[in-house]
Amino acid sequence: MKNLTPNQIAMSASAIISVLVLFVLLVLKNYFVENLPWYILLAPPLAALIFGYAIVYYLLEKFIYRKIKLIYKHIHYLKSAKGSISKNIDLNKNLIDSVEKEVTEWEEDRALEIEQLKKLEEFRKEFLGNVSHELKTPIFNLQGYIETLIDGGLKDEKINLDYLNKASKNIDRMNAVINDLDKISKIEHEQMDLELVKFDVHELTSEVFNSLEMRADLKELTFSFKEDCDKPFMVRGDRSRIREVLVNLITNSIIYGKEGGKTLVGYYDMNDNILIEVTDNGIGIEEKHLSRLFERFYRVDKSRSREQGGTGLGLSIVKHIIEAHTQTITVRSTPEVGSTFGFTLEKA
Ligand code: ADP
């Protein structure tokens, strides 16, 4: 029944009515009016067929199909506005079937969209909470130092320089958070125009090693290349952005590395891409944290990160940069053994 068009339903209904009328007339002829002429016998069923068809068709169109068509058209155009389906519709072809299919698809799409919106809303709330928390702490500290200095501390030789230095550190901290947030917001608004060039990633790593050497020395940590990796590896990418990625990963290997530890960088040829791995033998990360590590403000060891001036945004910036290159980044880690961060770049 649901596969019939209004035309077919009206025809079937009028045929049934006319058969019923004919049956009643035959009963009349057999039992009550024996000499009923044939044209009297045929005229009412014929009339029932024609009028029945017209009335049923009219009622169906007026009360059911027009309304269904309206819903169907609405959903169909809503979907086609998003470019998912063709704009041509045949309203007489298996209408109910099509409506059922379109409504189900539409419902599924909406449910998915609502789910995504809910997640985004959660994410937004969490993000705002994190930003205010990150800024509140240094502002609170600053207030404390400055008020103490104003209330006479400025003349106290024992604390004045110390408090000014501490205030300055808190300003640096706020600056670091704001700079990283600025980077993220630029990246997210697609203002990251990549300047793709061919360069030697091994040479770039050596440059980064040199720039971070002093920091590594403080922990007696050494930098080196994995076996067969101390040679050029040509890739295509935005050199200064990839430098930022390497600085971030290698700085993390120092912050979360052990005294006297090692940071190794290796390159692996993967046909179209080069896989670059930064490995340390530091504190490592428990499995349960790995999937959230690239989220903004996610930190495993909050106090260690803050102590070292970490904003908790480094890895999320790294991920954005790698994804802007349409490449991937992954992490493997074992607590107390160490971590390996690996990302790919197009081979040049
Ligand atoms: P942060 O500024 O806190 O270093 P990141 O986004 O760079 O922020 O890193 C997020 C968290 O991931 C860090 O707080 C730390 O807990 C963990 N992490 C990152 N790199 C390493 C590593 N090499 N070894 C152990 N933990 C790491």
Side-chain angles (χ1 to χ4, degrees):
M1 178 77 175
K2 79 173 186 184
N3 288 330
L4 296 178
T5 63
N7 201 12
Q8 288 164 330
I9 294 175
M11 274 206 286
S12 316
S14 59
I16 293 168
I17 296 169
S18 99
V19 169
L20 282 176
V21 171
L22 186 65
F23 177 76
V24 171
L25 287 171
L26 284 175
V27 171
L28 273 177
K29 182 177 159 47
N30 280 348
Y31 296 104
F32 304 103
V33 203
E34 274 181 23
N35 53 352
L36 204 65
W38 64 268
Y39 55 86
I40 298 278
L41 201 65
L42 285 186
L46 207 63
L49 192 69
I50 295 164
F51 289 112
Y53 171 82
I55 291 166
V56 173
Y57 188 84
Y58 172 77
L59 291 176
L60 269 178
E61 270 288 316
K62 185 168 169 64
F63 294 107
I64 302 176
Y65 273 79
R66 240 179 245 177
K67 289 198 169 82
I68 294 178
K69 270 185 201 173
L70 203 68
I71 299 170
Y72 181 53
K73 263 189 180 169
H74 238 81
I75 294 175
H76 192 87
Y77 286 126
L78 265 176
K79 284 173 85 185
S80 58
K82 290 188 165 187
S84 59
I85 51 172
S86 92
K87 294 198 182 221
N88 303 320
I89 44 173
D90 183 354
L91 289 175
N92 277 322
K93 228 172 143 189
N94 285 346
L95 187 66
I96 307 274
D97 249 7
S98 310
V99 170
E100 193 180 349
K101 190 167 160 269
E102 297 258 329
V103 170
T104 315
E105 279 174 10
W106 189 71
E107 191 189 353
E108 281 166 5
D109 281 357
R110 286 301 81 80
L112 205 74
E113 230 166 72
I114 290 170
E115 198 51 44
Q116 279 167 346
L117 284 174
K118 275 187 191 161
K119 269 193 198 150
L120 272 179
E121 179 56 15
E122 258 326 290
F123 190 61
R124 193 189 65 81
K125 277 188 202 157
E126 201 183 315
F127 179 65
L128 270 180
N130 280 329
V131 171
S132 70
H133 179 77
E134 288 301 323
L135 295 177
K136 223 161 50 186
T137 319
I139 288 174
F140 179 77
N141 293 344
L142 263 174
Q143 261 176 338
Y145 295 130
I146 289 172
E147 272 166 23
T148 316
L149 288 170
I150 291 172
D151 291 345
L154 205 56
K155 290 186 191 119
D156 185 344
E157 297 282 310
K158 274 185 265 160
I159 60 158
N160 56 9
L161 199 61
D162 183 36
Y163 275 27
L164 279 173
N165 273 328
K166 282 180 175 154
S168 166
K169 272 208 178 109
N170 278 283
I171 292 174
D172 287 348
R173 169 147 195 75
M174 275 166 43
N175 224 350
V177 174
I178 288 165
N179 276 339
D180 277 357
L181 280 173
D182 191 42
K183 273 186 209 161
I184 287 196
S185 105
K186 278 196 181 122
I187 293 168
E188 288 192 345
H189 286 92
E190 287 169 64
Q191 285 174 2
M192 186 160 60
D193 296 322
L194 295 179
E195 244 180 76
L196 297 180
V197 289
K198 185 175 161 177
F199 65 92
D200 175 8
V201 69
H202 167 265
E203 189 198 352
L204 182 64
T205 314
S206 303
E207 235 178 83
V208 175
F209 277 170
N210 285 336
S211 70
L212 295 173
E213 210 169 16
M214 263 167 55
R215 208 162 165 184
D217 283 348
L218 293 175
K219 255 181 144 172
E220 292 179 4
L221 209 134
T222 55
F223 294 142
S224 50
F225 294 100
K226 284 190 187 159
E227 219 183 304
D228 288 333
C229 293
D230 200 356
K231 58 184 185 195
F233 281 86
M234 298 310 290
V235 292
R236 181 172 302 281
D238 185 317
R239 197 177 188 277
S240 67
R241 299 282 183 188
I242 298 303
R243 187 177 201 282
E244 211 173 321
V245 168
L246 285 168
V247 167
N248 247 302
L249 297 181
I250 296 170
T251 304
N252 278 351
S253 79
I254 304 173
I255 298 177
Y256 307 103
K258 290 180 185 147
E259 290 276 335
K262 266 187 197 158
T263 297
L264 282 171
V265 175
Y267 312 100
Y268 302 90
D269 196 322
M270 321 252 299
N271 298 327
D272 297 336
N273 296 325
I274 298 281
L275 168 69
I276 298 128
E277 284 196 342
V278 179
T279 302
D280 63 60
N281 58 349
I283 58 170
I285 306 155
E286 275 182 74
E287 170 89 38
K288 65 176 181 195
H289 299 290
L290 292 182
S291 63
R292 301 198 58 191
L293 219 57
F294 296 95
E295 284 177 21
R296 292 182 277 195
F297 294 116
Y298 192 83
R299 293 164 164 127
V300 179
D301 183 345
K302 289 189 179 57
S303 57
R304 190 180 186 126
S305 156
R306 289 208 181 97
E307 236 171 63
Q308 303 283 335
T311 59
L313 294 168
L315 285 181
S316 79
I317 294 173
V318 162
K319 188 165 190 261
H320 273 302
I321 294 175
I322 298 301
E323 285 179 352
H325 281 78
T326 57
Q327 297 290 339
T328 52
I329 177 155
T330 53
V331 54
R332 343 185 263 281
S333 189
T334 311
E336 298 309 317
V337 175
S339 314
T340 295
F341 287 83
F343 63 95
T344 52
L345 280 180
E346 190 191 334
K347 199 156 89 181

